Amino acid sequence: MKINWNLFKVLSLLLAIVGLYGFADHRSKTKNVENISVQFLGENNLFLTEEAVNKMLIQKFGSLKNTPKEQVVLDTIEMTIANSPMVKNAQVYLSVEGELISKIVQRKPIGRIEGISKFYLDDMGKRMPLSKYHSARVPIITGKITGKSLEDAYVILNFVMGDDFLRKNVIGIHIEDEDKYQLKFRLENFVVNLGGIENLEGKFKNFMAFYVKATKDDTLNDYVAVSLEFENQVVCTKI
């Protein structure tokens, strides 16, 4: 019987590869966690620290270092980190070398509520607790805080954050009543009475036309308030 040596070589090579893979997989599973790494992704990495994450994991799971890799439940660790009120999402995995790596995206506050309760409003419109590690420089929201007024404040803040000029100059939102909002600017004693949240694009377009003209005429400091409450009008109040 003629032996197909080429086929024999191929089968032998495949068996060797499978054997090596099985050996490497077995060795990997029996290896211990050698190191724990916490990586914060994006720009907003101030509200939670690596030390705080490690402390959280120790309180929940004990020391994970030197734990056999096969005993580490990645999904449970990932869920524990993701459930932190400062975390937007998290990914946890083990490297071949035995390093337990946590990649974390933190939540992003866009406004800070100053009332009976103090908290942030994040970029998803959800409440976010203050952090003991960092205080965000975002517009302050004051006045009559209700569920509806916070929803409106979120709409206003989203618009403000999308405009370079407004983002740099709006420092606060005062809620006088539902559908009656006032913006505070960096200019001392200068406010913009916005009214409701309808037609924000048109209102701010009118405001910018006023602002450019008043800046050109060097009269901006003569005004203490600008009202955008009336359709296609800008009503100014002088000092």
Side-chain angles (χ1 to χ4, degrees), residues 3-208:
I3 299 174
N4 188 332
W5 290 104
N6 288 331
L7 179 61
F8 178 77
K9 290 177 182 179
V10 171
L11 290 174
S12 298
L13 180 61
L14 287 174
L15 287 172
I17 291 173
V18 170
L20 287 172
Y21 177 81
F23 174 75
D25 185 57
H26 173 73
R27 187 177 179 183
S28 176
K29 286 181 179 179
T30 56
K31 192 173 183 180
N32 293 344
V33 174
E34 299 290 339
N35 190 33
I36 298 174
S37 171
V38 177
Q39 301 174 13
F40 294 107
L41 306 180
E43 300 175 359
N44 303 291
N45 54 356
L46 302 170
F47 304 101
L48 195 64
T49 65
E50 181 176 354
E51 182 182 358
V53 174
N54 285 329
K55 184 178 179 180
M56 181 197 313
L57 295 179
I58 289 172
Q59 289 175 341
K60 181 74 174 179
F61 306 103
S63 178
L64 290 168
K65 197 169 183 180
N66 297 322
T67 301
K69 290 172 66 176
E70 61 180 1
Q71 294 181 16
V72 177
V73 184
L74 297 177
D75 288 347
T76 304
I77 297 173
E78 190 171 278
M79 187 178 300
T80 298
I81 297 174
N83 284 339
S84 166
M86 300 297 176
V87 174
K88 189 172 186 178
N89 57 63
Q91 180 185 13
V92 179
Y93 60 94
L94 278 164
S95 70
V96 176
E97 294 77 17
E99 184 176 25
L100 181 65
I101 302 171
S102 302
K103 292 188 175 182
I104 300 171
V105 177
Q106 296 189 43
R107 295 171 68 184
K108 180 181 178 181
I110 59 174
R112 174 171 174 154
I113 286 72
E114 289 289 335
I116 298 175
S117 298
K118 301 179 188 297
F119 54 91
Y120 290 122
L121 199 64
D122 75 1
D123 60 348
M124 302 298 290
K126 297 180 180 179
R127 298 186 181 210
M128 172 182 171
L130 303 183
S131 168
K132 65 180 180 180
Y133 301 108
H134 178 72
S135 180
R137 297 183 64 182
V138 291
I140 304 297
I141 304 171
T142 57
K144 297 182 179 179
I145 307 296
T146 66
K148 170 64 167 59
S149 65
L150 276 184
E151 289 177 7
D152 287 353
Y154 171 66
V155 173
I156 296 169
L157 286 169
N158 250 347
F159 192 95
V160 167
M161 292 300 155
D163 182 276
D164 188 58
F165 172 81
L166 296 175
R167 184 174 63 253
K168 291 177 180 177
N169 288 280
V170 174
I171 61 172
I173 300 175
H174 181 68
I175 304 170
E176 296 180 319
D177 208 341
E178 289 185 2
D179 296 325
K180 197 169 185 181
Y181 303 95
Q182 185 182 78
L183 304 185
K184 296 181 180 181
F185 276 65
R186 292 197 183 279
L187 289 174
E188 188 177 359
N189 298 322
F190 185 81
V191 298
V192 173
N193 294 314
L194 189 63
I197 62 170
E198 69 284 349
N199 191 26
L200 288 179
E201 185 172 354
K203 288 180 177 180
F204 282 115
K205 183 177 180 180
N206 291 337
F207 170 74
M208 288 307 302

